[in-house]
């Protein structure tokens, strides 16, 4: 299952489904609506959800994916940098998992090709869950309720890292937030956004933000240097793409983040240094466009950005399966 | 709203509702079935749920009630002792919040009269959420989505500690797990438990466990000394009721814990020292009854205890309201 960019036919079908009367002529814009997800493998999604919420994937038994990507809110922890195993501070800000499947790659520096590869990172990372892969597999394998699901879905008694991360990725692909007011406007509903919000969008296009933040996720389609019109001063050790490629031109190139639900994913930037959306917009103007916005302009852009908040999926808290008698017990203080 | 002990009339009504054919003569036993909850104030329950899941009630922005009382599992963290603010180890094991409303008082030592009083503890406790009450109130008050709900429910623009803990307690009172196999058996369904489980229950009664673990929650009705037939050796600093009353006779008296869902709330005892249910049963026999059970007896009692696992409520993950522009930001590393 992959979220798809909406075809015009599908958009028309969708429009006729919505309650509000909409003009059946979707707008042609550099930002496109995101499609609601159609779940084709519900059992796999359910398994992935359980794993996403399961703190037993961490050495301490305290930290789950949801600790740093809180699905009760914007899919992040809203901290400057995350708190990981033994209260260690992570080096960068936690990005949202909502609509992450639209990214050209995963992580700020794109070091994982896709969600499945990504999911291997945090389990083992010492500043996150600190759980060696073989122990994570052993733990999940020792839980009868998990073993049963893996066997039913993958036809294999043995839990593998491949299948485990496949299930998590499948769940994450359902974390799509369709039907934002901006998408309603894109689909032809003129009243879905206010005049000020519309002005903000026009400014977003005319000033050049759209060059980097575009597509269905309003970002996630490319890497760009942070600090084109002046160096971005940061105390974060991250050097972006350079850390992956070692190529000088990639220094401080970061994946352009999605701006969907951006009003919920504060604080901003890879180092979490900008506390408010106004601050982030102001800095983007100066550093990426060499332009100093007036306060009213900033407010208009912020107003536009708030129309990108979509409908977050309703998530039933999973019922996690009980540990087996031989399941390795968590060791938070070791 | 208070969970009530089932009246015979209500039991009969219930029995006729269940799908399995049951004899319409509920058993008269020292353990009584628990009633499904009827929610009378849904808006208050919803508010309480949001607060229960909200990490902004902690200084770090990382820890919510659900961190230590995981509703995706047995209402505990399944750790020997909890991990709190800045990874501090708590002094005692986290009890389940499921069916906690049945307790004669709250905490292992009963130092809070009820759920509302209890909820004041963890927010401020330095080893748990480390959030001074005035700051917690200020944070919740600064979140527009919370302010609106408090005003609608309590008719007061100002969030108070009283109302905040009232809402949390109201939510917790819905955390009831009815319809366990043992309750089905109590209500007349002979086939709901196996022969071995039935034998375990008979042993539970005849050997004397029932003297302390009885009532709808199979516990929670009294304090008892841990270690009647020999001292219980523990490295925990807790002295039980003595810490509350200072009366010598109260030393090492603990609230008898509920045994509902006990197969999910490992590890056991106030210090979390017993890893398995078998170990806990063995020790209870020796220390509370002066009796050494044979292995088959332990297995039978454990089998009986596993029939006490009830239906955990389906919980939709709440959608937490966004922080306001002036909301005090969490400080995990300060
Ligand atoms: C302790 C905090 C923490 C935990 C636990 C954690 N993450 Fe993350 N996550 C982060 C941070 C920080 C990043 C950014 C790291 C980077 O880009 O170098 C991230 C990045 C991601 C991304 C990439 C998003 C994007 O747009 O690039 C995804 C997807 C993700 N995490 C999913 C997960 C899953 C699945 C788990 C559990 C298996 C998990 N995370 C556990 C903090 C955490
Ligand atoms: C040349 C490319 C480029 C342009 C032009 C650009 N951005 Fe960005 N934007 C980025 C990159 C790269 C980041 C991530 C930087 C980082 O985290 O260090 C980013 C981050 C952001 C963020 C923070 C998102 C988050 O979740 O942390 C916001 C908000 C934002 N941009 C808005 C804008 C606005 C508004 C404009 C126009 C005024 C704009 N951007 C112009 C590339 C660009
Ligand atoms: C850091 C871990 C932690 C956090 C956070 C936490 N608790 Fe607890 N909770 C515990 C521990 C440990 C105990 C037992 C303390 C004692 O008995 O002295 C406890 C006891 C309780 C009890 C008493 C149950 C009983 O049967 O006696 C209730 C109810 C409860 N907590 C609810 C909450 C609520 C509501 C919150 C959030 C406002 C919360 N807890 C936050 C660890 C935690
Ligand atoms: C005289 C009172 C008394 C008797 C008799 C008694 N218990 Fe207990 N039980 C307690 C107390 C008090 C605790 C809590 C002790 C502690 O945590 O330090 C407890 C704890 C437990 C626990 C651990 C629950 C948890 O969540 O940590 C189990 C299981 C248990 N009892 C089962 C039994 C069984 C089975 C018997 C009979 C063999 C029995 N008890 C007899 C008072 C009693
Ligand atoms: Ca952020
Ligand atoms: Ca326990």
């Amino acid at each position: 299952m992959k979220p798809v960019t909406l075809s015009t036919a599908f958009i028309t079908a969708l429009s006729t489904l919505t309650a509000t009367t909409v003009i059946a002529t979707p707008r042609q814009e550099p930002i496109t609506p995101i499609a609601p997800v159609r779940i084709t493998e519900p059992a796999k999604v359910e398994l992935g959800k359980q794993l996403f919420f399961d703190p037993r994937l961490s050495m301490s038994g305290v930290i789950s994916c949801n600790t740093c990507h809180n699905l009760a809110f914007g899919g992040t922890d809203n901290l400057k940098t995350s708190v990981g195993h033994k209260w260690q501070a992570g080096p960068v800000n936690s990005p949202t998992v909502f609509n992450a499947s639209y990214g050209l790659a995963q992580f700020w520096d794109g070091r994982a090709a896709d969600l499945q590869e990504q999911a291997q990172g945090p389990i083992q990372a010492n500043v996150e869950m600190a759980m060696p892969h073989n122990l994570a597999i052993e733990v999940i394998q020792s839980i009868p309720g998990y073993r049963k699901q893996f066997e039913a879905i993958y036809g294999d008694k043995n839990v593998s890292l491949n299948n485990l991360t496949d299930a998590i990725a499948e769940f994450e692909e359902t974390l799509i937030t369709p039907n934002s007011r901006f998408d309603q406007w894109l689909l032809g509903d003129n009243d879905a956004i206010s005049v000020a919000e519309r002005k903000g969008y026009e400014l977003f296009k005319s000033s050049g933000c759209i060059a980097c933040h575009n597509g269905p996720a309003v970002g996630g389609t490319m890497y760009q240097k942070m600090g084109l019109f002046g160096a971005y001063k940061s105390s974060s050790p991250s050097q972006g793409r350079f850390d992956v490629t070692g190529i000088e031109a990639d220094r401080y190139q970061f994946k352009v983040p999605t701006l969907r639900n951006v009003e919920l994913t504060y604080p901003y930037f890879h180092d979490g240094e900008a506390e408010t959306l106004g601050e982030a917009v102001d800095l983007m103007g100066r550093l990426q466009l060499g332009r100093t916005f007036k306060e009213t302009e900033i407010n208009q852009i912020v107003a536009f950005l708030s129309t990108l908040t979509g409908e977050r999926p309703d998530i039933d808290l999973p019922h996690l399966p009980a540990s087996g008698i031989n399941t390795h017990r968590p060791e938070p203080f070791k």
Side-chain angles (χ1 to χ4, degrees), chain A:
Chain A
M1 188 196 49
K2 266 264 152 199
V4 287
T5 308
L6 292 172
S7 72
T8 315
F10 186 56
I11 289 171
T12 318
L14 246 192
S15 325
T16 61
L17 283 173
T18 57
T20 35
T21 329
V22 289
I23 307 156
T25 49
R27 291 183 163 84
Q28 298 299 322
E29 295 287 340
I31 296 174
T32 47
I34 49 177
V37 120
R38 276 161 301 174
I39 294 175
T40 50
E41 300 188 83
K44 203 192 267 191
V45 170
E46 168 61 29
L47 172 60
K49 179 170 78 170
Q50 290 173 22
L51 295 165
F52 192 91
F53 278 94
D54 203 324
R56 287 170 296 189
L57 278 181
S58 68
M59 193 66 178
S60 63
V62 175
I63 298 173
S64 70
C65 308
N66 195 63
T67 303
C68 303
H69 303 284
N70 192 348
L71 302 181
F73 199 56
T76 81
D77 53 16
N78 297 109
L79 299 174
K80 194 164 132 25
T81 64
S82 298
V83 173
H85 186 63
K86 295 197 173 167
W87 214 264
Q88 290 174 84
V92 289
N93 182 257
S94 166
T96 182
V97 287
F98 286 120
N99 310 304
S101 54
Y102 283 103
L104 81 160
Q106 299 297 315
F107 290 122
W108 286 101
D109 57 13
R111 70 186 177 279
D114 54 27
L115 287 172
Q116 186 180 6
E117 188 184 331
Q118 190 287 325
Q120 300 186 14
I123 299 175
Q124 195 146 279
N126 188 269
V127 292
E128 297 188 349
M129 302 164 100
M131 185 76 156
H133 281 155
N134 57 352
L135 188 51
I137 301 296
E138 189 191 309
V139 163
I140 298 304
Q141 173 90 31
S142 72
I143 297 172
Y146 275 131
R147 222 164 38 227
K148 224 188 307 175
Q149 292 179 75
F150 274 94
E151 197 170 353
I153 296 165
Y154 297 101
D156 191 345
K157 263 201 248 302
N158 296 311
V159 176
S160 66
L161 184 63
N162 201 46
N163 292 345
L164 186 142
T165 52
D166 179 63
I168 293 177
E170 190 78 12
F171 169 62
E172 290 181 300
E173 280 171 10
T174 69
L175 301 175
I176 301 297
T177 62
N179 210 26
S180 66
R181 289 195 291 118
F182 190 72
D183 281 1
Q184 292 169 26
W185 180 80
L186 281 176
L187 291 171
D189 180 354
N190 287 328
D191 301 331
I193 68 175
S194 72
V195 173
E197 289 161 353
R198 172 79 193 258
K199 277 198 184 141
Y201 177 51
E202 294 307 332
L203 199 49
F204 189 84
K205 286 198 290 189
S206 63
S207 69
C209 313
I210 199 77
C212 299
H213 299 277
N214 53 39
V218 200
T221 61
M222 61 183 90
Y223 303 103
Q224 286 290 338
K225 183 168 178 192
M226 175 59 164
L228 289 173
F229 288 81
Y232 177 62
K233 302 243 187 312
S234 174
S235 53
S236 163
S238 175
Q239 307 194 70
R241 280 303 280 167
F242 177 81
D243 294 334
V244 181
T245 65
I247 298 170
E248 190 49 45
D250 284 342
R251 203 185 294 269
Y252 304 125
Q253 293 247 0
F254 294 92
K255 187 177 65 177
V256 176
T258 174
L259 299 184
R260 295 237 174 230
N261 309 300
V262 72
E263 67 172 339
L264 305 179
T265 61
Y266 53 84
Y268 303 103
F269 301 133
H270 72 277
D271 55 6
E273 279 292 350
E275 286 209 359
T276 67
L277 211 39
E279 259 175 85
V281 170
D282 179 51
L283 217 73
M284 277 283 127
R286 292 172 201 272
L287 290 187
Q288 303 303 82
L289 300 167
R291 168 168 177 169
T292 307
F293 288 118
K294 291 200 244 26
E295 211 184 304
T296 49
E297 292 174 319
I298 291 178
N299 291 343
Q300 283 168 354
I301 294 178
V302 168
F304 153 63
L305 292 175
S306 75
T307 70
L308 292 169
T309 304
E311 281 170 10
R312 286 170 280 165
D314 281 326
I315 293 171
D316 284 345
L317 203 62
H319 290 182
L320 301 180
S323 291
I325 206 87
N326 295 318
T327 300
H328 182 266
R329 296 292 188 254
E331 300 172 296
F333 301 108
K334 208 179 112 175

